[in-house]
Amino acid sequence: MSEVKSDFLKQNSKKIFTSIPSGRYKGKKLLLPSLQSTRSTKNIVCSCVFNVLRQNLRDKIFIEAFGGSALMAATALSNYALKAYAIELDKKAYHIALKNAKALDENLHILNGDSFELLPKLLKQIDALAVLYFDPPFDIRKGFEGIYERIYTLLNQLDSSKISALILEHHKDLQTPQFLNEFKRIKLKKFGLTSLSFYEKF
């Protein structure tokens, strides 16, 4: 094996970690999936979300769609959410999220499947108001064209009585709707290529 190929394999076999940025589990390391299959939320973005949500999580269930490593769900638990769920379709990312959950908290639940199919079912099962967090692959990635429109359609069909707030992580060039279902966009934050749209009931 050539030295170049050997170096390439070493670099690509290394485990990648992030850490929970706030709350009772602050600093806890979480394993990340391959950056080729998922786009991990930056810590500055994660910190912004929970700076906004922190005071309103103690009696809520946090649901992370397109969950990847389950960083956002784990950070929600760290900031005293009742329970947290991460929904992830990719098998490798799902198994990594499972490992993270087992090392963290029994109230962190990882579901393997399509967020568009599992989220409505999960909402019917939970017994407290939910905060929904959407972190889909950017629509500039091949195969994900129209992903935001699909999310808007889903949100407009969900039972809003079970939802407290919505947050959508998206590409900075996307102009999110002012209104979704019974929710109004109250805040927009930008971080490089990433933006956050926060929604509350109006």
Side-chain angles (χ1 to χ4, degrees), residues 30 64 67-74 77 84-113 118 122:
L30 299 180
E64 178 184 9
S69 65
L71 170 63
M72 300 303 288
L77 271 185
Y85 293 83
I87 305 172
E88 176 53 49
L89 180 61
D90 182 83
K91 281 283 188 181
K92 290 182 179 179
Y94 163 71
H95 286 295
I96 286 173
L98 269 183
K99 288 181 181 179
N100 289 334
K102 288 177 180 177
L104 187 70
D105 194 307
E106 63 183 6
N107 288 311
L108 177 54
H109 305 278
I110 313 300
L111 306 178
N112 181 216
L118 294 187
L122 181 57

PDB file of all heavy atoms in Angstrom, residues 30 64 67-74 77 84-113 118 122:
ATOM      1  N   LEU A  30     -19.718  13.840  22.057  1.00  0.00           N
ATOM      2  CA  LEU A  30     -20.617  13.027  21.246  1.00  0.00           C
ATOM      3  C   LEU A  30     -19.900  12.662  19.954  1.00  0.00           C
ATOM      4  O   LEU A  30     -19.230  13.493  19.338  1.00  0.00           O
ATOM      5  CB  LEU A  30     -21.903  13.788  20.910  1.00  0.00           C
ATOM      6  CG  LEU A  30     -22.787  14.241  22.076  1.00  0.00           C
ATOM      7  CD1 LEU A  30     -23.998  14.980  21.537  1.00  0.00           C
ATOM      8  CD2 LEU A  30     -23.224  13.065  22.933  1.00  0.00           C
ATOM      9  N   GLU A  64     -36.045  16.341  17.410  1.00  0.00           N
ATOM     10  CA  GLU A  64     -35.096  16.760  16.373  1.00  0.00           C
ATOM     11  C   GLU A  64     -35.311  15.898  15.132  1.00  0.00           C
ATOM     12  O   GLU A  64     -35.062  14.688  15.149  1.00  0.00           O
ATOM     13  CB  GLU A  64     -33.666  16.604  16.887  1.00  0.00           C
ATOM     14  CG  GLU A  64     -32.599  16.972  15.882  1.00  0.00           C
ATOM     15  CD  GLU A  64     -31.191  16.707  16.403  1.00  0.00           C
ATOM     16  OE1 GLU A  64     -31.045  16.086  17.484  1.00  0.00           O
ATOM     17  OE2 GLU A  64     -30.237  17.111  15.713  1.00  0.00           O
ATOM     18  N   GLY A  67     -31.942  13.968  12.530  1.00  0.00           N
ATOM     19  CA  GLY A  67     -31.187  14.139  13.763  1.00  0.00           C
ATOM     20  C   GLY A  67     -29.693  13.924  13.722  1.00  0.00           C
ATOM     21  O   GLY A  67     -29.002  14.361  14.634  1.00  0.00           O
ATOM     22  N   GLY A  68     -29.150  13.217  12.714  1.00  0.00           N
ATOM     23  CA  GLY A  68     -27.709  12.997  12.678  1.00  0.00           C
ATOM     24  C   GLY A  68     -27.197  12.348  13.948  1.00  0.00           C
ATOM     25  O   GLY A  68     -27.663  11.287  14.362  1.00  0.00           O
ATOM     26  N   SER A  69     -26.256  13.004  14.625  1.00  0.00           N
ATOM     27  CA  SER A  69     -25.657  12.483  15.856  1.00  0.00           C
ATOM     28  C   SER A  69     -26.545  12.662  17.076  1.00  0.00           C
ATOM     29  O   SER A  69     -26.206  12.198  18.162  1.00  0.00           O
ATOM     30  CB  SER A  69     -24.331  13.204  16.119  1.00  0.00           C
ATOM     31  OG  SER A  69     -24.573  14.583  16.382  1.00  0.00           O
ATOM     32  N   ALA A  70     -27.662  13.363  16.916  1.00  0.00           N
ATOM     33  CA  ALA A  70     -28.578  13.708  18.023  1.00  0.00           C
ATOM     34  C   ALA A  70     -28.010  14.790  18.929  1.00  0.00           C
ATOM     35  O   ALA A  70     -28.395  14.906  20.093  1.00  0.00           O
ATOM     36  CB  ALA A  70     -28.966  12.479  18.839  1.00  0.00           C
ATOM     37  N   LEU A  71     -27.129  15.624  18.400  1.00  0.00           N
ATOM     38  CA  LEU A  71     -26.538  16.708  19.206  1.00  0.00           C
ATOM     39  C   LEU A  71     -27.604  17.641  19.771  1.00  0.00           C
ATOM     40  O   LEU A  71     -27.565  17.989  20.958  1.00  0.00           O
ATOM     41  CB  LEU A  71     -25.550  17.520  18.356  1.00  0.00           C
ATOM     42  CG  LEU A  71     -25.045  18.826  18.979  1.00  0.00           C
ATOM     43  CD1 LEU A  71     -24.255  18.551  20.247  1.00  0.00           C
ATOM     44  CD2 LEU A  71     -24.207  19.615  17.981  1.00  0.00           C
ATOM     45  N   MET A  72     -28.558  18.058  18.949  1.00  0.00           N
ATOM     46  CA  MET A  72     -29.545  19.019  19.420  1.00  0.00           C
ATOM     47  C   MET A  72     -30.462  18.396  20.472  1.00  0.00           C
ATOM     48  O   MET A  72     -30.795  19.028  21.479  1.00  0.00           O
ATOM     49  CB  MET A  72     -30.358  19.561  18.243  1.00  0.00           C
ATOM     50  CG  MET A  72     -29.526  20.268  17.180  1.00  0.00           C
ATOM     51  SD  MET A  72     -28.547  21.636  17.837  1.00  0.00           S
ATOM     52  CE  MET A  72     -29.833  22.845  18.157  1.00  0.00           C
ATOM     53  N   ALA A  73     -30.874  17.147  20.241  1.00  0.00           N
ATOM     54  CA  ALA A  73     -31.714  16.459  21.218  1.00  0.00           C
ATOM     55  C   ALA A  73     -30.962  16.268  22.538  1.00  0.00           C
ATOM     56  O   ALA A  73     -31.515  16.462  23.628  1.00  0.00           O
ATOM     57  CB  ALA A  73     -32.168  15.114  20.660  1.00  0.00           C
ATOM     58  N   ALA A  74     -29.686  15.904  22.444  1.00  0.00           N
ATOM     59  CA  ALA A  74     -28.867  15.731  23.651  1.00  0.00           C
ATOM     60  C   ALA A  74     -28.712  17.051  24.395  1.00  0.00           C
ATOM     61  O   ALA A  74     -28.778  17.089  25.635  1.00  0.00           O
ATOM     62  CB  ALA A  74     -27.499  15.174  23.275  1.00  0.00           C
ATOM     63  N   LEU A  77     -31.863  17.885  26.361  1.00  0.00           N
ATOM     64  CA  LEU A  77     -31.895  17.189  27.652  1.00  0.00           C
ATOM     65  C   LEU A  77     -30.938  17.821  28.648  1.00  0.00           C
ATOM     66  O   LEU A  77     -31.245  17.934  29.836  1.00  0.00           O
ATOM     67  CB  LEU A  77     -31.525  15.719  27.462  1.00  0.00           C
ATOM     68  CG  LEU A  77     -32.648  14.741  27.148  1.00  0.00           C
ATOM     69  CD1 LEU A  77     -32.108  13.326  27.123  1.00  0.00           C
ATOM     70  CD2 LEU A  77     -33.785  14.849  28.162  1.00  0.00           C
ATOM     71  N   ALA A  84     -36.255  13.903  25.011  1.00  0.00           N
ATOM     72  CA  ALA A  84     -35.815  14.368  23.692  1.00  0.00           C
ATOM     73  C   ALA A  84     -35.770  13.181  22.739  1.00  0.00           C
ATOM     74  O   ALA A  84     -35.420  12.057  23.131  1.00  0.00           O
ATOM     75  CB  ALA A  84     -34.447  15.033  23.783  1.00  0.00           C
ATOM     76  N   TYR A  85     -36.159  13.450  21.504  1.00  0.00           N
ATOM     77  CA  TYR A  85     -36.148  12.443  20.447  1.00  0.00           C
ATOM     78  C   TYR A  85     -35.343  12.964  19.265  1.00  0.00           C
ATOM     79  O   TYR A  85     -35.408  14.158  18.938  1.00  0.00           O
ATOM     80  CB  TYR A  85     -37.571  12.148  19.953  1.00  0.00           C
ATOM     81  CG  TYR A  85     -38.464  11.486  20.962  1.00  0.00           C
ATOM     82  CD1 TYR A  85     -39.131  12.234  21.928  1.00  0.00           C
ATOM     83  CD2 TYR A  85     -38.664  10.103  20.948  1.00  0.00           C
ATOM     84  CE1 TYR A  85     -39.972  11.630  22.856  1.00  0.00           C
ATOM     85  CE2 TYR A  85     -39.503   9.493  21.877  1.00  0.00           C
ATOM     86  CZ  TYR A  85     -40.152  10.260  22.821  1.00  0.00           C
ATOM     87  OH  TYR A  85     -40.982   9.657  23.743  1.00  0.00           O
ATOM     88  N   ALA A  86     -34.595  12.068  18.624  1.00  0.00           N
ATOM     89  CA  ALA A  86     -33.917  12.391  17.370  1.00  0.00           C
ATOM     90  C   ALA A  86     -34.345  11.353  16.339  1.00  0.00           C
ATOM     91  O   ALA A  86     -34.292  10.148  16.603  1.00  0.00           O
ATOM     92  CB  ALA A  86     -32.403  12.374  17.543  1.00  0.00           C
ATOM     93  N   ILE A  87     -34.787  11.819  15.190  1.00  0.00           N
ATOM     94  CA  ILE A  87     -35.216  10.940  14.101  1.00  0.00           C
ATOM     95  C   ILE A  87     -34.166  11.007  12.997  1.00  0.00           C
ATOM     96  O   ILE A  87     -33.854  12.095  12.496  1.00  0.00           O
ATOM     97  CB  ILE A  87     -36.581  11.369  13.533  1.00  0.00           C
ATOM     98  CG1 ILE A  87     -37.630  11.448  14.642  1.00  0.00           C
ATOM     99  CG2 ILE A  87     -37.035  10.405  12.434  1.00  0.00           C
ATOM    100  CD1 ILE A  87     -38.957  12.058  14.200  1.00  0.00           C
ATOM    101  N   GLU A  88     -33.618   9.869  12.618  1.00  0.00           N
ATOM    102  CA  GLU A  88     -32.556   9.839  11.606  1.00  0.00           C
ATOM    103  C   GLU A  88     -32.776   8.664  10.645  1.00  0.00           C
ATOM    104  O   GLU A  88     -32.985   7.533  11.085  1.00  0.00           O
ATOM    105  CB  GLU A  88     -31.186   9.720  12.270  1.00  0.00           C
ATOM    106  CG  GLU A  88     -30.019   9.578  11.319  1.00  0.00           C
ATOM    107  CD  GLU A  88     -29.964  10.672  10.263  1.00  0.00           C
ATOM    108  OE1 GLU A  88     -30.069  11.867  10.622  1.00  0.00           O
ATOM    109  OE2 GLU A  88     -29.823  10.329   9.064  1.00  0.00           O
ATOM    110  N   LEU A  89     -32.694   8.944   9.354  1.00  0.00           N
ATOM    111  CA  LEU A  89     -32.918   7.929   8.321  1.00  0.00           C
ATOM    112  C   LEU A  89     -31.663   7.112   8.024  1.00  0.00           C
ATOM    113  O   LEU A  89     -31.722   5.894   7.868  1.00  0.00           O
ATOM    114  CB  LEU A  89     -33.421   8.604   7.041  1.00  0.00           C
ATOM    115  CG  LEU A  89     -33.704   7.702   5.841  1.00  0.00           C
ATOM    116  CD1 LEU A  89     -34.789   6.672   6.170  1.00  0.00           C
ATOM    117  CD2 LEU A  89     -34.130   8.546   4.640  1.00  0.00           C
ATOM    118  N   ASP A  90     -30.508   7.783   7.951  1.00  0.00           N
ATOM    119  CA  ASP A  90     -29.265   7.108   7.591  1.00  0.00           C
ATOM    120  C   ASP A  90     -28.865   6.102   8.672  1.00  0.00           C
ATOM    121  O   ASP A  90     -28.770   6.444   9.850  1.00  0.00           O
ATOM    122  CB  ASP A  90     -28.152   8.152   7.412  1.00  0.00           C
ATOM    123  CG  ASP A  90     -26.833   7.521   6.998  1.00  0.00           C
ATOM    124  OD1 ASP A  90     -26.655   7.270   5.801  1.00  0.00           O
ATOM    125  OD2 ASP A  90     -25.996   7.272   7.892  1.00  0.00           O
ATOM    126  N   LYS A  91     -28.636   4.848   8.271  1.00  0.00           N
ATOM    127  CA  LYS A  91     -28.371   3.769   9.228  1.00  0.00           C
ATOM    128  C   LYS A  91     -27.103   4.012  10.046  1.00  0.00           C
ATOM    129  O   LYS A  91     -27.074   3.795  11.260  1.00  0.00           O
ATOM    130  CB  LYS A  91     -28.248   2.429   8.492  1.00  0.00           C
ATOM    131  CG  LYS A  91     -29.581   1.819   8.100  1.00  0.00           C
ATOM    132  CD  LYS A  91     -30.250   1.180   9.300  1.00  0.00           C
ATOM    133  CE  LYS A  91     -31.490   0.387   8.875  1.00  0.00           C
ATOM    134  NZ  LYS A  91     -32.171  -0.218  10.036  1.00  0.00           N
ATOM    135  N   LYS A  92     -26.037   4.450   9.390  1.00  0.00           N
ATOM    136  CA  LYS A  92     -24.779   4.665  10.107  1.00  0.00           C
ATOM    137  C   LYS A  92     -24.923   5.791  11.122  1.00  0.00           C
ATOM    138  O   LYS A  92     -24.460   5.680  12.268  1.00  0.00           O
ATOM    139  CB  LYS A  92     -23.655   4.961   9.114  1.00  0.00           C
ATOM    140  CG  LYS A  92     -23.252   3.766   8.266  1.00  0.00           C
ATOM    141  CD  LYS A  92     -22.114   4.100   7.328  1.00  0.00           C
ATOM    142  CE  LYS A  92     -21.719   2.888   6.503  1.00  0.00           C
ATOM    143  NZ  LYS A  92     -20.614   3.196   5.541  1.00  0.00           N
ATOM    144  N   ALA A  93     -25.551   6.877  10.699  1.00  0.00           N
ATOM    145  CA  ALA A  93     -25.764   7.995  11.622  1.00  0.00           C
ATOM    146  C   ALA A  93     -26.670   7.574  12.779  1.00  0.00           C
ATOM    147  O   ALA A  93     -26.443   7.957  13.941  1.00  0.00           O
ATOM    148  CB  ALA A  93     -26.369   9.183  10.872  1.00  0.00           C
ATOM    149  N   TYR A  94     -27.689   6.780  12.475  1.00  0.00           N
ATOM    150  CA  TYR A  94     -28.607   6.288  13.513  1.00  0.00           C
ATOM    151  C   TYR A  94     -27.864   5.490  14.587  1.00  0.00           C
ATOM    152  O   TYR A  94     -28.074   5.700  15.789  1.00  0.00           O
ATOM    153  CB  TYR A  94     -29.678   5.426  12.851  1.00  0.00           C
ATOM    154  CG  TYR A  94     -30.436   4.523  13.797  1.00  0.00           C
ATOM    155  CD1 TYR A  94     -31.347   5.039  14.715  1.00  0.00           C
ATOM    156  CD2 TYR A  94     -30.244   3.140  13.772  1.00  0.00           C
ATOM    157  CE1 TYR A  94     -32.038   4.207  15.591  1.00  0.00           C
ATOM    158  CE2 TYR A  94     -30.939   2.300  14.632  1.00  0.00           C
ATOM    159  CZ  TYR A  94     -31.833   2.833  15.535  1.00  0.00           C
ATOM    160  OH  TYR A  94     -32.514   2.011  16.393  1.00  0.00           O
ATOM    161  N   HIS A  95     -26.971   4.593  14.175  1.00  0.00           N
ATOM    162  CA  HIS A  95     -26.240   3.778  15.144  1.00  0.00           C
ATOM    163  C   HIS A  95     -25.278   4.623  15.986  1.00  0.00           C
ATOM    164  O   HIS A  95     -25.071   4.353  17.176  1.00  0.00           O
ATOM    165  CB  HIS A  95     -25.500   2.646  14.435  1.00  0.00           C
ATOM    166  CG  HIS A  95     -26.408   1.545  13.970  1.00  0.00           C
ATOM    167  ND1 HIS A  95     -27.119   0.758  14.847  1.00  0.00           N
ATOM    168  CD2 HIS A  95     -26.753   1.129  12.724  1.00  0.00           C
ATOM    169  CE1 HIS A  95     -27.846  -0.111  14.178  1.00  0.00           C
ATOM    170  NE2 HIS A  95     -27.652   0.081  12.886  1.00  0.00           N
ATOM    171  N   ILE A  96     -24.724   5.666  15.384  1.00  0.00           N
ATOM    172  CA  ILE A  96     -23.872   6.580  16.151  1.00  0.00           C
ATOM    173  C   ILE A  96     -24.707   7.355  17.168  1.00  0.00           C
ATOM    174  O   ILE A  96     -24.314   7.517  18.331  1.00  0.00           O
ATOM    175  CB  ILE A  96     -23.110   7.524  15.199  1.00  0.00           C
ATOM    176  CG1 ILE A  96     -21.987   6.754  14.509  1.00  0.00           C
ATOM    177  CG2 ILE A  96     -22.564   8.738  15.945  1.00  0.00           C
ATOM    178  CD1 ILE A  96     -21.263   7.514  13.442  1.00  0.00           C
ATOM    179  N   ALA A  97     -25.887   7.809  16.743  1.00  0.00           N
ATOM    180  CA  ALA A  97     -26.777   8.513  17.670  1.00  0.00           C
ATOM    181  C   ALA A  97     -27.202   7.605  18.815  1.00  0.00           C
ATOM    182  O   ALA A  97     -27.315   8.044  19.970  1.00  0.00           O
ATOM    183  CB  ALA A  97     -27.995   9.052  16.921  1.00  0.00           C
ATOM    184  N   LEU A  98     -27.435   6.326  18.514  1.00  0.00           N
ATOM    185  CA  LEU A  98     -27.774   5.359  19.560  1.00  0.00           C
ATOM    186  C   LEU A  98     -26.666   5.253  20.602  1.00  0.00           C
ATOM    187  O   LEU A  98     -26.922   5.220  21.810  1.00  0.00           O
ATOM    188  CB  LEU A  98     -28.013   3.985  18.947  1.00  0.00           C
ATOM    189  CG  LEU A  98     -29.422   3.602  18.516  1.00  0.00           C
ATOM    190  CD1 LEU A  98     -29.423   2.166  18.006  1.00  0.00           C
ATOM    191  CD2 LEU A  98     -30.433   3.770  19.640  1.00  0.00           C
ATOM    192  N   LYS A  99     -25.417   5.187  20.141  1.00  0.00           N
ATOM    193  CA  LYS A  99     -24.275   5.126  21.061  1.00  0.00           C
ATOM    194  C   LYS A  99     -24.227   6.372  21.933  1.00  0.00           C
ATOM    195  O   LYS A  99     -23.980   6.297  23.144  1.00  0.00           O
ATOM    196  CB  LYS A  99     -22.973   4.994  20.276  1.00  0.00           C
ATOM    197  CG  LYS A  99     -22.768   3.639  19.623  1.00  0.00           C
ATOM    198  CD  LYS A  99     -21.439   3.595  18.880  1.00  0.00           C
ATOM    199  CE  LYS A  99     -21.240   2.253  18.195  1.00  0.00           C
ATOM    200  NZ  LYS A  99     -19.961   2.200  17.437  1.00  0.00           N
ATOM    201  N   ASN A 100     -24.462   7.535  21.317  1.00  0.00           N
ATOM    202  CA  ASN A 100     -24.457   8.784  22.084  1.00  0.00           C
ATOM    203  C   ASN A 100     -25.547   8.776  23.155  1.00  0.00           C
ATOM    204  O   ASN A 100     -25.330   9.210  24.287  1.00  0.00           O
ATOM    205  CB  ASN A 100     -24.642   9.975  21.147  1.00  0.00           C
ATOM    206  CG  ASN A 100     -23.421  10.232  20.283  1.00  0.00           C
ATOM    207  OD1 ASN A 100     -22.298   9.892  20.643  1.00  0.00           O
ATOM    208  ND2 ASN A 100     -23.630  10.848  19.131  1.00  0.00           N
ATOM    209  N   ALA A 101     -26.728   8.274  22.783  1.00  0.00           N
ATOM    210  CA  ALA A 101     -27.844   8.253  23.728  1.00  0.00           C
ATOM    211  C   ALA A 101     -27.565   7.320  24.900  1.00  0.00           C
ATOM    212  O   ALA A 101     -27.840   7.655  26.058  1.00  0.00           O
ATOM    213  CB  ALA A 101     -29.123   7.833  23.004  1.00  0.00           C
ATOM    214  N   LYS A 102     -27.014   6.150  24.620  1.00  0.00           N
ATOM    215  CA  LYS A 102     -26.729   5.172  25.677  1.00  0.00           C
ATOM    216  C   LYS A 102     -25.696   5.697  26.666  1.00  0.00           C
ATOM    217  O   LYS A 102     -25.719   5.345  27.843  1.00  0.00           O
ATOM    218  CB  LYS A 102     -26.258   3.862  25.059  1.00  0.00           C
ATOM    219  CG  LYS A 102     -27.374   3.094  24.364  1.00  0.00           C
ATOM    220  CD  LYS A 102     -26.838   1.827  23.705  1.00  0.00           C
ATOM    221  CE  LYS A 102     -27.967   1.069  23.001  1.00  0.00           C
ATOM    222  NZ  LYS A 102     -27.478  -0.136  22.289  1.00  0.00           N
ATOM    223  N   ALA A 103     -24.805   6.562  26.176  1.00  0.00           N
ATOM    224  CA  ALA A 103     -23.759   7.109  27.041  1.00  0.00           C
ATOM    225  C   ALA A 103     -24.218   8.356  27.797  1.00  0.00           C
ATOM    226  O   ALA A 103     -23.475   8.885  28.621  1.00  0.00           O
ATOM    227  CB  ALA A 103     -22.528   7.448  26.204  1.00  0.00           C
ATOM    228  N   LEU A 104     -25.451   8.807  27.499  1.00  0.00           N
ATOM    229  CA  LEU A 104     -25.876  10.093  28.050  1.00  0.00           C
ATOM    230  C   LEU A 104     -27.044   9.997  29.026  1.00  0.00           C
ATOM    231  O   LEU A 104     -26.889  10.247  30.220  1.00  0.00           O
ATOM    232  CB  LEU A 104     -26.228  11.047  26.905  1.00  0.00           C
ATOM    233  CG  LEU A 104     -26.523  12.488  27.314  1.00  0.00           C
ATOM    234  CD1 LEU A 104     -25.251  13.176  27.772  1.00  0.00           C
ATOM    235  CD2 LEU A 104     -27.142  13.249  26.150  1.00  0.00           C
ATOM    236  N   ASP A 105     -28.235   9.608  28.527  1.00  0.00           N
ATOM    237  CA  ASP A 105     -29.434   9.760  29.347  1.00  0.00           C
ATOM    238  C   ASP A 105     -30.535   8.853  28.802  1.00  0.00           C
ATOM    239  O   ASP A 105     -30.756   8.786  27.598  1.00  0.00           O
ATOM    240  CB  ASP A 105     -29.890  11.222  29.296  1.00  0.00           C
ATOM    241  CG  ASP A 105     -30.921  11.567  30.368  1.00  0.00           C
ATOM    242  OD1 ASP A 105     -31.947  10.863  30.448  1.00  0.00           O
ATOM    243  OD2 ASP A 105     -30.720  12.553  31.092  1.00  0.00           O
ATOM    244  N   GLU A 106     -31.261   8.185  29.704  1.00  0.00           N
ATOM    245  CA  GLU A 106     -32.338   7.276  29.274  1.00  0.00           C
ATOM    246  C   GLU A 106     -33.520   8.009  28.659  1.00  0.00           C
ATOM    247  O   GLU A 106     -34.392   7.391  28.030  1.00  0.00           O
ATOM    248  CB  GLU A 106     -32.826   6.456  30.475  1.00  0.00           C
ATOM    249  CG  GLU A 106     -33.449   7.292  31.576  1.00  0.00           C
ATOM    250  CD  GLU A 106     -33.853   6.472  32.787  1.00  0.00           C
ATOM    251  OE1 GLU A 106     -33.534   5.261  32.813  1.00  0.00           O
ATOM    252  OE2 GLU A 106     -34.475   7.044  33.699  1.00  0.00           O
ATOM    253  N   ASN A 107     -33.575   9.311  28.832  1.00  0.00           N
ATOM    254  CA  ASN A 107     -34.665  10.104  28.246  1.00  0.00           C
ATOM    255  C   ASN A 107     -34.346  10.636  26.854  1.00  0.00           C
ATOM    256  O   ASN A 107     -35.110  11.419  26.303  1.00  0.00           O
ATOM    257  CB  ASN A 107     -35.027  11.272  29.175  1.00  0.00           C
ATOM    258  CG  ASN A 107     -35.743  10.791  30.415  1.00  0.00           C
ATOM    259  OD1 ASN A 107     -36.694  10.012  30.334  1.00  0.00           O
ATOM    260  ND2 ASN A 107     -35.280  11.225  31.579  1.00  0.00           N
ATOM    261  N   LEU A 108     -33.204  10.203  26.307  1.00  0.00           N
ATOM    262  CA  LEU A 108     -32.851  10.539  24.928  1.00  0.00           C
ATOM    263  C   LEU A 108     -33.181   9.324  24.056  1.00  0.00           C
ATOM    264  O   LEU A 108     -32.582   8.260  24.201  1.00  0.00           O
ATOM    265  CB  LEU A 108     -31.370  10.889  24.821  1.00  0.00           C
ATOM    266  CG  LEU A 108     -30.825  11.195  23.421  1.00  0.00           C
ATOM    267  CD1 LEU A 108     -31.632  12.282  22.726  1.00  0.00           C
ATOM    268  CD2 LEU A 108     -29.349  11.587  23.499  1.00  0.00           C
ATOM    269  N   HIS A 109     -34.154   9.494  23.166  1.00  0.00           N
ATOM    270  CA  HIS A 109     -34.657   8.393  22.352  1.00  0.00           C
ATOM    271  C   HIS A 109     -34.286   8.617  20.885  1.00  0.00           C
ATOM    272  O   HIS A 109     -34.508   9.705  20.352  1.00  0.00           O
ATOM    273  CB  HIS A 109     -36.175   8.285  22.483  1.00  0.00           C
ATOM    274  CG  HIS A 109     -36.636   8.146  23.903  1.00  0.00           C
ATOM    275  ND1 HIS A 109     -36.633   6.945  24.579  1.00  0.00           N
ATOM    276  CD2 HIS A 109     -37.095   9.078  24.791  1.00  0.00           C
ATOM    277  CE1 HIS A 109     -37.078   7.125  25.809  1.00  0.00           C
ATOM    278  NE2 HIS A 109     -37.366   8.412  25.967  1.00  0.00           N
ATOM    279  N   ILE A 110     -33.756   7.579  20.252  1.00  0.00           N
ATOM    280  CA  ILE A 110     -33.320   7.663  18.860  1.00  0.00           C
ATOM    281  C   ILE A 110     -34.221   6.783  18.000  1.00  0.00           C
ATOM    282  O   ILE A 110     -34.397   5.590  18.292  1.00  0.00           O
ATOM    283  CB  ILE A 110     -31.855   7.205  18.699  1.00  0.00           C
ATOM    284  CG1 ILE A 110     -30.961   7.861  19.764  1.00  0.00           C
ATOM    285  CG2 ILE A 110     -31.363   7.517  17.286  1.00  0.00           C
ATOM    286  CD1 ILE A 110     -30.930   9.365  19.725  1.00  0.00           C
ATOM    287  N   LEU A 111     -34.793   7.357  16.947  1.00  0.00           N
ATOM    288  CA  LEU A 111     -35.685   6.631  16.054  1.00  0.00           C
ATOM    289  C   LEU A 111     -35.063   6.557  14.666  1.00  0.00           C
ATOM    290  O   LEU A 111     -34.563   7.561  14.152  1.00  0.00           O
ATOM    291  CB  LEU A 111     -37.044   7.327  15.969  1.00  0.00           C
ATOM    292  CG  LEU A 111     -37.761   7.590  17.305  1.00  0.00           C
ATOM    293  CD1 LEU A 111     -39.061   8.333  17.056  1.00  0.00           C
ATOM    294  CD2 LEU A 111     -38.015   6.296  18.045  1.00  0.00           C
ATOM    295  N   ASN A 112     -35.102   5.386  14.067  1.00  0.00           N
ATOM    296  CA  ASN A 112     -34.560   5.197  12.722  1.00  0.00           C
ATOM    297  C   ASN A 112     -35.705   5.194  11.717  1.00  0.00           C
ATOM    298  O   ASN A 112     -36.584   4.339  11.766  1.00  0.00           O
ATOM    299  CB  ASN A 112     -33.786   3.873  12.648  1.00  0.00           C
ATOM    300  CG  ASN A 112     -33.168   3.626  11.292  1.00  0.00           C
ATOM    301  OD1 ASN A 112     -33.113   2.499  10.828  1.00  0.00           O
ATOM    302  ND2 ASN A 112     -32.689   4.666  10.634  1.00  0.00           N
ATOM    303  N   GLY A 113     -35.707   6.172  10.830  1.00  0.00           N
ATOM    304  CA  GLY A 113     -36.753   6.233   9.822  1.00  0.00           C
ATOM    305  C   GLY A 113     -36.845   7.604   9.193  1.00  0.00           C
ATOM    306  O   GLY A 113     -36.041   8.504   9.477  1.00  0.00           O
ATOM    307  N   LEU A 118     -42.336   9.559  10.511  1.00  0.00           N
ATOM    308  CA  LEU A 118     -42.331   9.274  11.944  1.00  0.00           C
ATOM    309  C   LEU A 118     -42.789  10.440  12.808  1.00  0.00           C
ATOM    310  O   LEU A 118     -43.378  10.237  13.874  1.00  0.00           O
ATOM    311  CB  LEU A 118     -40.930   8.838  12.381  1.00  0.00           C
ATOM    312  CG  LEU A 118     -40.427   7.515  11.821  1.00  0.00           C
ATOM    313  CD1 LEU A 118     -39.092   7.144  12.480  1.00  0.00           C
ATOM    314  CD2 LEU A 118     -41.432   6.396  12.031  1.00  0.00           C
ATOM    315  N   LEU A 122     -45.209  10.296  16.086  1.00  0.00           N
ATOM    316  CA  LEU A 122     -44.631  10.590  17.394  1.00  0.00           C
ATOM    317  C   LEU A 122     -45.434  11.665  18.122  1.00  0.00           C
ATOM    318  O   LEU A 122     -45.681  11.561  19.338  1.00  0.00           O
ATOM    319  CB  LEU A 122     -43.181  11.030  17.228  1.00  0.00           C
ATOM    320  CG  LEU A 122     -42.403  11.366  18.499  1.00  0.00           C
ATOM    321  CD1 LEU A 122     -42.405  10.187  19.467  1.00  0.00           C
ATOM    322  CD2 LEU A 122     -40.969  11.760  18.143  1.00  0.00           C
TER     323      LEU A 122
END
